[in-house]
Amino acid sequence: MMKNIASFGVLLISLTLTGQELFLQNAYNRIATSLNGEWNYIVDPYENGFYDYRYEPFENAESVSKNAFFTNSKPTDKTDLIEYDFDKAPLIKVPGDWNTQKEKLYYYEGTVWYKKSFDYTKAHDSNRVFVYFGAANYEVDIYLNGEKLGKHVGGFTPFQFEVSPLLREKDNFLIVKVDNKRKREAVPTLNTDWWNYGGLTRDVKLIETPGTYINDYFIQLKKDDNRLITGYLELNGDDVSNKKITLEIPELKLKKELLTNVEGKALLEIKTKKIQYWSPENPKLYEVLLRTDGETLQDHIGFRTINTEGKYILLNGEPTFLRGICLHEESPNEGGGRANSQEEARKLLGWAKELGCNFVRLAHYPHNEYIIREADKMGIMVWEEDPVYWTIDWENEATYRNAENQLSEVIHRDKNRASVIIWSMANETPTSGARNEFLGSLAEHARQMDPTRLISAALEISRYEGNPTTLTISDSYADVVDVLSFNQYIGWYVGTPELAQRITWKITQDKPVIISEFGAGAKYGFHGDALTRWSEEYQADLYKETLKMIDKIEKLQGVTPWILKDFRSPRRLLNGIQDDYNRKGLISDKGEKKQAFFVLQDYYQKKPWKMSNNFPK
């Protein structure tokens, strides 16, 4: 069933959920007008602005009521009854979550309406204009000048809608209904361990293009040939057939003219001998220019290969140990909230570099594009994850389409980023036939979209032949992934740290192993002995014992402890200690480093990430 769904491809799924094709590639560097800043907002827990009193959507009525919020109506005379007014509504910052901006909305889950007014004049009458959202959590309906543009589902990936026919030079109003309610059939589902931040949480902008424009491209090294740059370029518009696209990489003195086919696509294959490969020690990015008669598009792309061979992860053919850490998309600044800026990305990755990391796991959903772009520049490898978390509605076809669409969107956005080496399909999901089919179809889809990267998932451990001190991975999904990753919390949820001294591992799969999570909660500044829960000493001792334990795993090729920084979670209720924060961070919510930070830092300083001496040539 799921494989049949997967075979329909990216376009059908995008049409189902967003009403259009996937967004244009490299919105990051396009000519754009920012709509960030202050927006008017109206909190609407009963969705009065969307439904009439019979709970029928206003937008489906033959004659739309003025009380539909998306009409942005005003009274025509003193007798007119309209029960809202965006222009008198309070202001909220975009990008941003409503939970940390407005005290009354701290725990709010429901609908909030946003409105932005703007003027706009196109550079050329024949140009096209798109409204582009970096992300909005979770389900959004978008209207321009009273007309519906479409709908998007999924809180962590970009989407866009063309607004060319509706745009006017003066007094445009963009209205967005944002609903962050959790649902059993959603992705993620009802039960998670992070804050359900609502709102327009990433950049919003207008992107202007020629009538026919460069819509998509994929430019990477061929997986098994590090001298061959391959991929494709694709045009969008009414006149895309038999058109010339020029690709140029000036520093490599490469220039290639390509001709599109009837569908506007051109395949790429270029041999090169002088390339510097991207790596943590040399995060080389090349300027890449794409030109048509109507536009020039610039990107900065690094070239590297990533493969596995037996127990090894090979970066540019060399075995590599992934010295990592997990991150949530939580602001590093005091006050927290969703991270949504370049400065926040630099600060988070700066902490990771200080820790000694060459790798980060971005949990448990796609993070913003700034952190991927900064990882490219800083030489930090990245694991990106689809928000298939814990117990998803495995047998619901709409749930699968939702998960696949979100996976499609993050792969589409980041497929040209050298830092991204792993696509993760899920985290801590219970094994079953339906789950295996669901996740198997996701992996197949990811490999079809991007055959150059590795597939993984954070799995769970089990006892080997019933022995409580011998642990293994018996999950059949281990046969699907390229990298065997699993979470384990010996010493925190199971026993105390000394238990790690008695644990042995039986890993039967001939694959590289990453410990994708381990850790313990600690309140910064709370001290006790090594057996006092929540103390910095307990957390530090657990790190010492765990690192000694996992170093005995013969196939170990990486580790991403949980987690860099304390982050908000409504599951964490212990007054005086947790106070709505998961305290497993190595850094507090106020930016203070705990003792365990320095334990891991010392381990990484002594752990070489290049492992060439151990690799059989």
Side-chain angles (χ1 to χ4, degrees):
M1 176 187 68
M2 296 303 177
K3 290 182 179 178
N4 290 334
I5 295 170
S7 69
F8 289 137
V10 177
L11 180 58
L12 176 60
I13 296 161
S14 182
L15 288 169
T16 302
L17 289 178
T18 69
Q20 61 169 51
E21 297 177 15
L22 284 166
F23 47 89
L24 41 71
Q25 183 66 218
N26 191 15
Y28 188 87
N29 286 315
R30 303 262 182 173
I31 296 172
T33 299
S34 174
L35 294 182
N36 292 348
E38 291 188 328
W39 292 48
N40 297 101
Y41 77 98
I42 297 174
V43 183
D44 187 15
Y46 280 24
E47 298 183 298
N48 289 335
F50 190 79
Y51 297 103
D52 65 18
Y53 79 111
R54 298 296 189 194
Y55 211 65
E56 294 292 332
F58 284 124
E59 63 187 34
N60 293 345
E62 289 185 14
S63 178
V64 177
S65 168
K66 291 181 179 180
N67 283 301
F69 286 7
F70 58 82
T71 65
N72 192 33
S73 296
K74 299 291 186 292
T76 55
D77 59 50
K78 64 184 180 181
T79 69
D80 216 354
L81 177 61
I82 298 176
E83 297 186 88
Y84 70 97
D85 188 339
F86 276 108
D87 294 332
K88 294 179 180 178
L91 299 172
I92 196 167
K93 289 181 181 178
V94 173
D97 59 89
W98 64 58
N99 313 77
T100 56
Q101 290 193 66
K102 306 295 176 180
E103 185 177 358
K104 287 184 177 180
L105 300 181
Y106 181 65
Y107 289 110
Y108 181 69
E109 294 183 322
T111 286
V112 173
W113 295 81
Y114 287 72
K115 195 266 297 187
K116 182 76 169 181
S117 296
F118 62 94
D119 301 331
Y120 192 85
T121 302
K122 293 196 290 186
H124 299 284
D125 288 341
S126 61
N127 281 2
R128 299 164 69 181
V129 181
F130 300 85
V131 59
Y132 177 95
F133 296 81
N137 192 37
Y138 168 78
E139 187 172 316
V140 293
D141 296 87
I142 304 98
Y143 307 83
L144 180 66
N145 299 330
E147 298 293 328
K148 187 160 189 176
L149 300 177
K151 185 182 190 73
H152 183 264
V153 176
F156 309 101
T157 47
F159 56 97
Q160 72 180 36
F161 294 94
E162 185 165 4
V163 297
S164 309
L166 298 174
L167 204 59
R168 47 202 196 208
E169 290 195 352
K170 295 290 184 182
D171 301 323
N172 295 282
F173 58 92
L174 180 64
I175 292 179
V176 185
K177 175 183 180 288
V178 185
D179 183 354
N180 74 329
K181 287 194 295 289
R182 291 167 296 121
K183 299 177 182 178
R184 180 179 179 274
E185 70 276 12
V187 182
T189 186
L190 289 168
N191 195 21
T192 68
D193 186 17
W194 66 85
W195 206 268
N196 184 25
Y197 290 115
L200 300 177
T201 54
R202 297 182 192 160
D203 296 333
V204 182
K205 53 190 171 183
L206 297 168
I207 297 176
E208 185 166 346
T209 71
T212 296
Y213 66 94
I214 301 166
N215 181 60
D216 191 18
Y217 55 91
F218 187 21
I219 304 169
Q220 290 282 281
L221 289 180
K222 191 174 182 181
K223 192 174 182 71
D224 56 0
D225 187 346
N226 63 5
R227 298 292 184 185
L228 192 63
I229 298 172
T230 65
Y232 63 82
L233 299 89
E234 186 174 81
L235 299 180
N236 182 294
D238 294 330
D239 186 17
V240 299
S241 175
N242 204 37
K243 297 298 178 184
K244 185 174 72 173
I245 308 176
T246 302
L247 180 143
E248 186 176 1
I249 307 177
E251 192 173 343
L252 291 176
K253 297 182 171 56
L254 292 178
K255 190 172 183 179
K256 180 96 169 178
E257 289 190 354
L258 304 165
L259 208 60
T260 61
N261 62 16
V262 294
E263 296 174 340
K265 196 168 187 175
L267 299 181
L268 170 69
E269 189 170 287
I270 306 177
K271 273 281 189 185
T272 179
K273 295 181 180 179
K274 301 177 182 178
I275 198 163
Q276 293 183 50
Y277 298 114
W278 184 97
S279 71
E281 63 183 355
N282 181 37
K284 175 66 179 176
L285 300 177
Y286 287 96
E287 181 186 39
V288 177
L289 301 172
L290 305 176
R291 294 191 179 93
T292 66
D293 289 340
E295 71 176 328
T296 298
L297 187 59
Q298 180 196 56
D299 205 346
H300 288 87
I301 295 177
F303 298 103
R304 54 97 192 97
T305 59
I306 190 74
N307 296 285
T308 65
E309 185 174 327
K311 71 175 186 178
Y312 296 102
I313 295 172
L314 305 179
L315 176 67
N316 300 319
E318 297 292 332
T320 300
F321 189 87
L322 303 179
R323 303 187 309 210
I325 193 70
C326 291
L327 280 77
H328 261 298
E329 192 182 50
E330 189 99 357
S331 173
N333 301 322
E334 189 169 354
R338 275 269 177 257
N340 52 46
S341 71
Q342 187 175 36
E343 292 72 25
E344 289 169 315
R346 286 175 181 159
K347 190 170 183 178
L348 288 167
L349 293 180
W351 280 338
K353 290 280 279 189
E354 183 184 353
L355 189 57
C357 296
N358 60 12
F359 178 59
V360 291
R361 177 188 177 214
L362 303 183
H364 286 297
Y365 41 77
H367 291 214
N368 64 76
E369 188 171 0
Y370 287 116
I371 203 160
I372 306 299
R373 293 277 183 169
E374 290 303 309
D376 262 13
K377 297 173 188 175
M378 295 171 69
I380 298 177
M381 295 174 281
V382 173
W383 156 315
E384 294 205 76
E385 194 158 294
D386 205 21
V388 179
Y389 181 87
W390 288 358
T391 309
I392 296 292
D393 191 357
W394 304 113
E395 298 186 7
N396 187 323
E397 293 187 10
T399 301
Y400 176 80
R401 289 196 301 271
N402 185 349
E404 190 184 82
N405 183 68
Q406 293 185 63
L407 180 63
S408 297
E409 289 175 338
V410 69
I411 292 175
H412 179 71
R413 188 191 72 181
D414 294 336
K415 62 192 174 189
N416 291 304
R417 307 279 68 84
S419 56
V420 180
I421 64 168
I422 292 175
W423 303 121
S424 171
M425 303 297 102
N427 177 77
E428 293 181 350
T429 53
T431 59
S432 70
R435 171 265 200 179
N436 292 344
E437 188 177 0
F438 189 111
L439 296 187
S441 294
L442 284 181
E444 181 180 344
H445 178 73
R447 288 183 170 118
Q448 288 173 353
M449 282 194 72
D450 176 16
T452 71
R453 291 177 173 85
L454 306 176
I455 301 295
S456 193
L459 306 179
E460 294 182 308
I461 59 176
S462 57
R463 295 177 178 182
Y464 182 74
E465 297 181 348
N467 188 333
T469 58
T470 302
L471 303 177
T472 190
I473 304 299
S474 58
D475 190 332
S476 61
Y477 199 63
D479 298 331
V480 176
V481 299
D482 300 306
V483 177
L484 183 62
S485 305
F486 53 86
N487 302 345
Q488 67 80 28
Y489 283 93
I490 303 298
W492 185 248
Y493 294 121
V494 181
T496 54
E498 58 82 27
L499 177 60
Q501 300 172 14
R502 305 196 302 276
I503 295 294
T504 58
W505 296 85
K506 182 73 173 179
I507 306 297
T508 59
Q509 297 86 358
D510 186 24
K511 295 185 177 185
V513 169
I514 295 176
I515 308 298
S516 38
E517 290 182 29
F518 76 81
K523 177 75 178 288
Y524 174 81
F526 177 66
H527 295 287
D529 61 22
L531 288 176
T532 302
R533 293 272 181 172
W534 308 110
S535 70
E536 289 192 50
E537 287 76 11
Y538 189 107
Q539 185 187 46
D541 187 57
L542 181 139
Y543 266 72
K544 293 173 186 175
E545 295 296 342
T546 300
L547 292 170
K548 287 187 288 186
M549 173 186 68
I550 64 176
D551 258 346
K552 298 174 185 176
I553 300 175
E554 187 265 338
K555 298 182 177 73
L556 185 72
Q557 303 297 305
V559 57
T560 52
W562 190 261
I563 186 169
L564 180 66
K565 176 187 173 289
D566 291 350
F567 62 94
R568 277 195 178 89
S569 171
R571 295 174 62 88
R572 306 300 173 170
L573 304 173
L574 183 58
N575 290 335
I577 296 292
Q578 293 171 313
D579 300 319
D580 285 340
Y581 279 91
N582 185 311
R583 294 294 184 191
K584 295 189 184 71
L586 299 178
I587 299 173
S588 78
D589 57 295
K590 295 179 173 60
E592 303 144 322
K593 297 180 178 69
K594 304 175 191 177
Q595 291 180 16
F597 180 97
F598 302 102
V599 174
L600 185 61
Q601 183 186 60
D602 181 67
Y603 174 79
Y604 282 158
Q605 287 173 347
K606 297 173 181 175
K607 188 82 171 179
W609 69 270
K610 282 191 169 184
M611 304 169 65
S612 302
N613 293 338
N614 302 326
F615 185 53
K617 296 291 185 179

